[in-house]
Amino acid sequence: MKKIEAIFRPEKLDDVKTALAENGFFPLTVSDVRGRGAQKGIQLQYRGKMMEVDLIPKIKIEMVIRDDDVPKAIGTIRAAARTGRYGDGRIFVIPVELSAMVRTGLFVSE
Amino acid sequence: MIPDSGNTAFILICTALVMLMTPGVGLFYGGLVRRKNLISMFALSFAALAIVSVQWILFGYSLAFGPDIGGLIGSLEYIGLRGVDFSGAGIPDLLFMAFQMMFAAVTLAIITSAVAERIKLSSFIIFGLLWTTLVYDPLAHWVWGGGWMAASGILDFAGGIVVHISAGWGALALALVIGKRAGFGQYSMEPHNIPLTLLGGALLWFGWFGFNAGSALAANGLAVNALIVTNTAAAAGTLAWMAASWINGKPSSIGMISGSIAGLGAITPAAGFIDPIGAVIIGAVSGLLCYYALLWRLNRSLDESLDAWAIHGVGGVWGTVALGIFAVSGIGGITGLIGGSSAQLALQAVGAVAAVAYAFAVTFMIAKAVDLTMGLRVTEEEEYVGLDISQHGESIYV
């Protein structure tokens, strides 16, 4: 089992959600986050003075999937979230040891 | 003439009521945009109030209400309020000037709908100054200041032509010049704070009593009639829009409040000439008309972002014409079509068409001129970050 954490542009949420559902990835958790990447945010020119906006609003989605599905999930998210410009985001894959369902107590470990 | 103390007291209060409509517009619009642009939207309305307040006392009032030149514009006789004093018929001239100032201010605030989330503040200040001088002041003069519309008998009780047609059709022209918001039609731009919009709408409804009842310029029966028909049309518009949107889905609160504004905009020109039953019809028809105008705009993928055109522009045209249909002679001395006279209807149609054409054409030219000289839009990155940070260096969340 792997956990996918994807951080991308807020305006792409609908596209990503739809694309994931179409590819069979339905369960997910969504958060509003703010952060900065390698570009150190966005610099705005103000009458010669530089103004930095270094925490930019993004969306983070988290989903736990089977190992074999990782490439497909990453491909799906990239295709839907990419604009080709700085600030498109990141996708992280994290190993998951266990997943227990609250209602049934069912354990899944792979 | 010695002004009457009761009338003076009433119009002083109405002036304050109409002033509150400008921040009301700011809240109404502020809730409809994305969170990164709320401060900007509110600030644009305040900027409109400030720009117009200064322009009005310097020369705007004189252009609108100064001695007539050729039916087109007022002279500069009252420049810097020269000769405008405490005397006057019914109320002091100075108070009339202040009351009218608030109308001019809210009109410029309404037009900010067209440039939401993408206007450069500096460009808006220049545009606003030109617009209130070249569009609002002449129109106010034509209808209320003794210009050609007034001379030919075209009526506008409280601003259907001067405020709603000018701002609504001006907004359409301005939206065409500035262009769509980045991402418009590609991803959703849902309103981020509906309660703020409802609050702004509530303040507008409240302020509108000063707007329409105050337009009687006296604390009399006509003012009472105006207040009642204003409330009636707002209520009918609310219910009509609610019903139309219910048939097509869910009756949203934004739809309801939009219907209120549609009813209010339409009743404005007619408030001193029609009875409450006429107001029910005018308000309900306006709610439906404006609702379908909004759908038409969306289908054409026009980004007149917050629907000043669909609500104020279309509602203002309907109300201006409806005056000629539903006028009852016992109220304002005018008989409309239902009373068997079509003369006023023809006049109102001429007034509406002329105002639409003038507001649209001149706004388009002013917007083009500002766009070519200083650029109306912020840069792509500034738009992406939002105008709160890029234009004001502020943000609503910490």
Side-chain angles (χ1 to χ4, degrees):
Chain A
M1 266 189 315
K2 293 281 187 286
K3 181 183 191 190
I4 299 277
E5 276 197 10
I7 294 166
F8 53 84
R9 298 178 184 272
E11 63 268 25
K12 290 290 186 181
L13 176 60
D14 282 348
D15 294 352
V16 171
K17 252 172 39 185
T18 308
L20 284 170
E22 281 168 358
N23 284 283
F25 300 106
F26 204 76
L28 51 81
T29 305
V30 180
S31 338
D32 280 313
V33 294
R34 289 192 296 149
R36 60 189 183 193
Q39 264 58 49
K40 302 196 169 82
I42 295 179
Q43 277 82 35
L44 300 174
Q45 190 84 33
Y46 242 71
R47 309 225 181 295
K49 205 170 65 190
M50 290 304 273
M51 190 172 114
E52 276 203 12
V53 183
D54 81 336
L55 290 180
I56 303 191
K58 299 283 175 198
I59 285 282
K60 179 168 83 170
I61 62 171
E62 294 164 86
M63 40 199 260
V64 174
I65 57 177
R66 297 196 353 257
D67 292 13
D68 303 351
D69 285 335
V70 168
K72 188 177 166 193
I74 292 177
T76 303
I77 293 168
R78 280 198 64 215
R82 189 174 180 278
T83 69
R85 313 231 292 286
Y86 290 128
D88 273 352
R90 284 270 181 164
I91 301 169
F92 304 104
V93 180
I94 303 151
V96 175
E97 287 188 10
L98 198 65
S99 158
M101 199 189 254
V102 172
R103 179 173 57 88
T104 61
L106 202 66
F107 284 89
V108 181
S109 56
E110 59 178 44
Chain B
M1 279 289 281
I2 307 290
D4 172 277
S5 69
N7 291 345
T8 302
F10 174 58
I11 302 301
L12 275 166
I13 290 166
C14 286
T15 302
L17 278 169
V18 181
M19 176 269 159
L20 195 59
M21 292 173 72
T22 298
V25 168
L27 287 172
F28 183 84
Y29 285 168
L32 291 172
V33 293
R34 288 163 291 173
R35 71 189 301 181
K36 61 187 177 185
N37 293 309
L38 188 155
I39 293 172
S40 140
M41 219 58 236
F42 207 6
L44 286 173
S45 281
F46 270 117
L49 179 58
I51 293 163
V52 172
S53 290
V54 175
Q55 182 267 3
W56 193 250
I57 64 153
L58 291 179
F59 54 86
Y61 176 68
S62 197
L63 290 175
F65 292 97
D68 179 67
I69 302 176
L72 296 176
I73 194 76
S75 80
L76 286 175
E77 187 165 321
Y78 302 151
I79 192 163
L81 302 187
R82 203 176 54 190
V84 184
D85 57 19
F86 302 146
S87 66
I91 59 169
D93 287 343
L94 267 176
L95 177 57
F96 177 74
M97 182 282 302
F99 182 57
Q100 287 296 337
M101 181 201 306
M102 298 309 170
F103 280 65
V106 74
T107 308
L108 183 57
I110 292 167
I111 211 172
T112 60
S113 154
V115 295
E117 311 194 280
R118 57 205 187 277
I119 184 84
K120 240 183 351 188
L121 182 67
S122 53
S123 303
F124 174 75
I125 292 169
I126 302 299
F127 168 86
L129 192 59
L130 291 168
W131 192 86
T132 196
T133 304
L134 300 173
V135 179
Y136 186 89
D137 294 348
L139 272 172
H141 181 77
W142 295 357
V143 184
W144 294 330
W148 71 269
M149 283 193 187
S152 51
I154 293 164
L155 296 170
D156 181 0
F157 188 70
I161 289 175
V162 180
V163 175
H164 299 290
I165 289 180
S166 71
W169 292 84
L172 186 64
L174 182 54
L176 291 172
V177 175
I178 198 171
K180 295 173 193 180
R181 287 169 290 178
F184 177 76
Q186 290 164 359
Y187 41 82
S188 97
M189 298 190 175
E190 293 294 301
H192 93 283
N193 192 329
I194 292 170
L196 271 187
T197 296
L198 298 177
L199 178 64
L203 288 177
L204 281 168
W205 189 327
F206 174 74
W208 228 293
F209 293 141
F211 200 85
N212 287 358
S215 288
L217 296 175
N220 59 14
L222 190 61
V224 174
N225 183 77
L227 183 138
I228 293 165
V229 298
T230 298
N231 193 66
T232 305
T238 308
L239 295 173
W241 193 307
M242 191 205 289
S245 59
W246 212 328
I247 290 165
N248 294 321
K250 286 236 188 289
S252 75
S253 64
I254 287 189
M256 288 166 59
I257 201 77
S258 300
S260 320
I261 311 289
L264 289 161
I267 201 64
T268 295
F273 304 100
I274 58 146
D275 61 16
I277 303 304
V280 173
I281 301 168
I282 289 177
V285 170
S286 190
L288 295 176
L289 265 182
C290 297
Y291 174 70
Y292 287 107
L294 188 151
L295 293 186
W296 181 87
R297 167 185 84 77
L298 285 170
N299 287 335
R300 297 291 308 270
S301 163
L302 271 169
D303 193 15
E304 201 284 279
S305 315
L306 312 175
D307 287 302
W309 172 77
I311 296 174
H312 296 271
V314 172
V317 168
W318 159 242
T320 298
V321 172
L323 190 170
I325 301 173
F326 299 102
V328 179
S329 63
I331 291 164
I334 302 290
T335 306
L337 199 61
I338 53 165
S341 160
S342 60
Q344 194 60 42
L345 179 58
L347 283 173
Q348 293 307 111
V350 169
V353 170
V356 164
Y358 183 80
F360 185 88
V362 180
T363 308
F364 194 90
M365 289 188 274
I366 297 169
K368 265 280 179 239
V370 174
D371 198 29
L372 292 171
T373 48
M374 52 193 301
L376 282 169
R377 283 185 91 106
V378 295
T379 65
E380 211 173 323
E381 285 209 320
E382 288 173 327
E383 186 177 350
Y384 188 73
V385 170
L387 304 192
D388 291 3
I389 288 176
S390 78
Q391 301 301 291
H392 303 282
E394 293 166 311
S395 170
I396 60 169
Y397 46 80
V398 183

